[in-house]
Amino acid sequence: MKGLLLKDFTLLFKVCKSFLIIMVVFFVIIPFSDSYSFLNYYLIILSAMIPFTLIAYDEKEKWDVYVKTLPVTNSDYVSAKYLTGIISNAVVLVILVLLRSAFYSNTNDFIAYASFLLIIGTVFMSINLPIVFKFGSAKGRIVNFVLIAVICVFILLAAKFSTSSLGLVLNVISGKYNVPLYLGVIGALLLLAVSWLTSIAVYNKKEK
């Protein structure tokens, strides 16, 4: 498992430089943008796309075939992609939270902001990866575009129809409408666990 994670992050820093450059540029811009800038959410989506990008490179270079000659299981291969995504999301989330901490004097709003980022990244990855493992990166790319479009519309509508700078959704998960904040986070994490197990089952079945 450690070898697979090392391989993925080595590939990330050597081949996926465009991802990293875009992230660095956005990190520089964010402190000068408004508190509900779309850049915040785009960055977390971008980090959630990293496992998909790595799978696409694996398929292109036939690594997904070569890895079967190594002493690793299908479960190891799938789990490595999920762990890479989780680590990438966590790093981006921490950086964003640190960059935006000065914008929120209200602790509840700040917690809601961080939780919303966590939910977006987790849900995006949870829906995307099982489909990619089932149909491959080519068809999975279509799913990426659809998910990004849906999330973008969701966030824009939430911000438009809410008087809060964090948007309607943030009001909901922050408890303004009596929906406990932790339920959204727990739901996203449960979805991730189900997605993880589903991807392993799908990949095992695909190899038969």
Side-chain angles (χ1 to χ4, degrees):
M1 180 64 71
K2 291 182 180 179
L4 291 175
L5 288 174
L6 178 61
K7 170 262 174 188
D8 278 348
F9 280 104
T10 300
L11 182 64
L12 174 63
F13 285 103
K14 285 189 175 182
V15 182
C16 305
K17 293 181 180 179
S18 59
F19 269 76
L20 302 179
I21 292 174
I22 292 173
M23 286 183 176
V24 170
V25 171
F26 283 0
F27 282 141
V28 172
I29 295 175
I30 281 176
F32 303 98
S33 61
D34 55 68
S35 61
Y36 53 91
S37 170
F38 186 75
L39 293 179
N40 299 274
Y41 311 115
Y42 182 74
L43 270 173
I44 206 70
I45 293 174
L46 199 62
S47 67
M49 288 178 60
I50 287 177
F52 164 81
T53 305
L54 294 174
I55 292 173
Y57 274 107
D58 284 353
E59 292 178 356
K60 179 181 178 182
E61 302 299 329
K62 307 300 181 183
W63 168 264
D64 56 328
V65 177
Y66 173 74
V67 75
K68 300 183 189 340
T69 66
L70 302 177
V72 296
T73 64
N74 289 337
S75 177
D76 292 334
Y77 178 74
V78 172
S79 296
K81 293 298 184 268
Y82 273 85
L83 289 173
T84 300
I86 291 171
I87 293 171
S88 301
N89 262 343
V91 170
V92 171
L93 178 61
V94 169
I95 294 175
L96 286 174
V97 166
L98 291 176
L99 289 175
R100 307 305 296 183
S101 59
F103 284 84
Y104 296 106
S105 56
N106 185 296
T107 303
N108 288 335
D109 279 351
F110 179 66
I111 294 176
Y113 161 76
S115 299
F116 192 34
L117 290 179
L118 173 62
I119 291 170
I120 288 177
T122 303
V123 169
F124 184 93
M125 188 167 59
S126 298
I127 296 175
N128 187 34
L129 283 180
I131 297 174
V132 174
F133 279 116
K134 174 66 176 179
F135 299 107
S137 60
K139 293 181 180 179
R141 187 170 289 108
I142 299 175
V143 177
N144 263 331
F145 292 147
V146 172
L147 282 176
I148 291 173
V150 170
I151 291 176
C152 289
V153 172
F154 190 59
I155 294 172
L156 291 174
L157 289 177
K160 180 178 180 180
F161 292 106
S162 173
T163 57
S164 168
S165 62
L166 290 176
L168 177 61
V169 177
L170 292 188
N171 282 333
V172 171
I173 67 174
S174 65
K176 184 174 181 178
Y177 299 131
N178 298 318
V179 179
L181 171 64
Y182 63 83
L183 288 183
V185 175
I186 291 175
L189 295 178
L190 287 176
L191 179 62
L192 178 63
V194 171
S195 170
W196 197 326
L197 294 175
T198 301
S199 291
I200 292 174
V202 165
Y203 199 67
N204 282 328
K205 185 177 181 180
K206 183 180 179 180
E207 293 304 306
K208 292 181 180 179

